[in-house]
Each structure stands twice: as C-alpha cells, then as structure tokens.
Amino acid sequence: MSALFDKMRRRAGRYLDVRPVTIDPPRGVLSLSFDDIPRSAWTEAGPILAEHGVKATYYVCGGLSGGRNLDLPQFEVEDLQALHAAGHEVGCHTYEHVSTLTLSPKGLDASLARNAAWVAERLDGHQMRTFAYPFGDCALGAKAVIDRRFLCGRGVRDGINSGRADRNLLQAIGLESRRLPGYDLEKLVHDTAEAKGWLIAYGHDVSDSPTPYGCRPEDIDRLIRLAKTAGLDIRPVGAAWEQAAR
Ligand SMILES: [Zn+2]
C-alpha cells in the first residue's frame, strides 16, 4: 500500500465519523501514558510516579509480553501485575501491536477481544476501559469499533483536549526524545490550566539514553513538577475521562 494512500486514510480517520464530546474538567488535568509496554516504562518510570503519588495509564499489547520491540525488552506478566496492583490503569493497545490501517473492523475487533481475554486472565478479570491507537494510526472504520468497546481512544496528534473533541481520537503529546525538544512544556501546562483542558502525554521506553520514541526519567519528573506547579490534576486516562467528559 502506498504511503500517500495511507496518509489519505489517516486523514479520513481524523476528520470523518467524529463523535464529539465536550471536555470540561473542574480544573485542568494531565494524564501520563505509556504504550506497548517496554519494561523500563515500569522499572524506571514507576518509582518516579510513586515518588510523586501519581497514577498513569499503561497501554498493553498482550502479544508483546516477554518479547522485544524496537530492540528493547518488553514487560513481563509480573510487571503488568505489579503496576496494576499499584493502582495504575491498564488500557488496550491491540494484541499484536498492529496498525488499525492494516485491519478490517472485524479483524480489529478480534484483536481487541484477544487482548481483553489475555488481560482479564492475568489481571483478575480486569476490563480495559480506554484505548490507544498503535502508531497513532486511526482507520476510519476503526472508530466505531473503538467507540463500542471503550470510553475513549487516544491518538498521537499534538494538542490539548479542550472544549469539543473527538472521543475516539483524543490528542496527545509525545514524551519522546524526537519530539520533546519541539515542545514548550511550561506553556502547554499553563495553557491546559488556563483553558481547563486535558493534556495527555504518551511515551515508551524510559532511560538515560532513550530511543527516539522514549524519554529520560528527568523528562517525566519535570512534566509532573510543572503540572503540579500549574495546579493541574494528574489522573489516569479513564479517571480523567470520567471527570472531564460531558
Ligand atoms: Zn505502540
């Protein structure tokens, strides 16, 4: 499939079949999330979150358990159980970590069902309530599937969710070394507080020498400190949704 065709399909997913929601939390809110899940997102980021008394959302692909992705070790089942027990949200990211652009709605539904069963079996029947699109790819036909199964879906397009938003394609900033230099985090956090919006951040690996898709421990620490200084609530995606969505 051509890159141009994929680009057109991403654009269709962004602009069509929008299911509007009003984002109006009592005060600005930040959600931290980690996709896939590289092991360091728990072993390195977990202690920082604990130190700040903050809960995040971990978007899991059952099929990546105990394996490697982007040449990094991924979570083990024990990591997932530990982070779940610590009160972090476990959300859904497809079973095989495939783009929704490569799946029919039926194929996507099957992948989600497989991930749901895999997670429920390992986390005491836990039902995932929120979704993140692998690679941020949202196929038009995927949105109705996500809408049926989850409170909301998160993409990777920059921006603060505020006022009218698409419940199946929320915006998010990347806690990614390739994207972080382009952000003014202080301004983003300030604007979120001012607009009473919802800023969602997502990352992958966490290390002093992260991949282009990961960040350093101090990046997470800094964002949390900025958010607290600006008076933002910090909640996992599902809990933020419950407070913010009208
Ligand atoms: Zn991913």
Side-chain angles (χ1 to χ4, degrees):
M1 209 171 294
S2 81
L4 177 64
F5 189 58
D6 273 354
K7 195 173 167 191
M8 287 164 57
R9 293 181 65 210
R10 285 190 193 96
R11 203 162 283 181
R14 188 195 301 179
Y15 293 114
L16 305 178
D17 194 20
V18 171
R19 307 205 178 176
V21 61
T22 301
I23 300 299
D24 183 26
R27 57 185 192 157
V29 58
L30 168 71
S31 295
L32 297 164
S33 61
F34 299 94
D35 293 2
D36 297 357
I37 306 163
R39 187 142 201 272
S40 62
W42 172 235
T43 58
E44 298 299 315
I48 302 169
L49 300 173
E51 190 185 311
H52 287 288
V54 160
K55 308 294 185 212
T57 301
Y58 286 82
Y59 284 107
V60 68
C61 298
L64 291 180
S65 166
R68 292 182 81 79
N69 185 41
L70 294 172
D71 208 31
L72 290 175
Q74 301 297 296
F75 73 100
E76 302 283 344
V77 169
E78 301 76 61
D79 300 319
L80 192 69
Q81 290 170 335
L83 70 89
H84 183 245
H88 298 288
E89 176 184 13
V90 174
C92 184
H93 198 46
T94 74
Y95 181 81
E96 311 85 348
H97 200 245
V98 284
S99 164
T100 66
L101 294 177
T102 69
L103 296 170
S104 66
K106 214 172 167 178
L108 173 60
D109 200 59
S111 175
L112 300 175
R114 190 174 181 195
N115 212 33
W118 189 92
V119 165
E121 200 171 299
R122 284 154 187 85
L123 297 183
D124 229 357
H126 172 65
Q127 283 194 328
M128 297 176 287
R129 301 190 305 158
T130 65
F131 177 77
Y133 291 84
F135 314 102
D137 288 345
C138 173
L140 180 55
K143 295 177 96 173
V145 179
I146 298 311
D147 194 59
R148 245 190 339 267
R149 283 185 171 267
F150 302 103
L151 297 173
C152 55
R154 193 218 77 210
V156 298
R157 196 161 61 88
D158 281 339
I160 299 163
N161 301 285
S162 153
R164 189 176 183 272
D166 184 350
R167 65 189 299 147
N168 297 311
L169 194 55
L170 295 171
Q171 290 172 254
I173 62 165
L175 281 173
E176 299 184 314
S177 61
R178 61 175 178 159
R179 295 176 75 173
L180 276 166
Y183 296 132
D184 183 342
L185 287 181
E186 207 162 345
K187 182 175 180 345
L188 276 168
V189 161
H190 172 267
D191 290 352
T192 302
E194 194 104 314
K196 281 207 276 168
W198 181 14
L199 181 65
I200 307 176
Y202 72 90
H204 295 89
D205 52 294
V206 179
S207 121
D208 289 329
S209 50
T211 69
Y213 313 99
C215 70
R216 300 167 305 169
E218 65 213 68
D219 297 321
I220 297 169
D221 184 68
R222 173 158 183 259
L223 179 55
I224 293 173
R225 286 178 195 279
L226 286 173
K228 285 189 167 176
T229 303
L232 298 187
D233 283 329
I234 306 178
R235 297 172 185 277
V237 174
W241 172 269
E242 280 173 340
Q243 264 212 328
R246 308 262 179 276

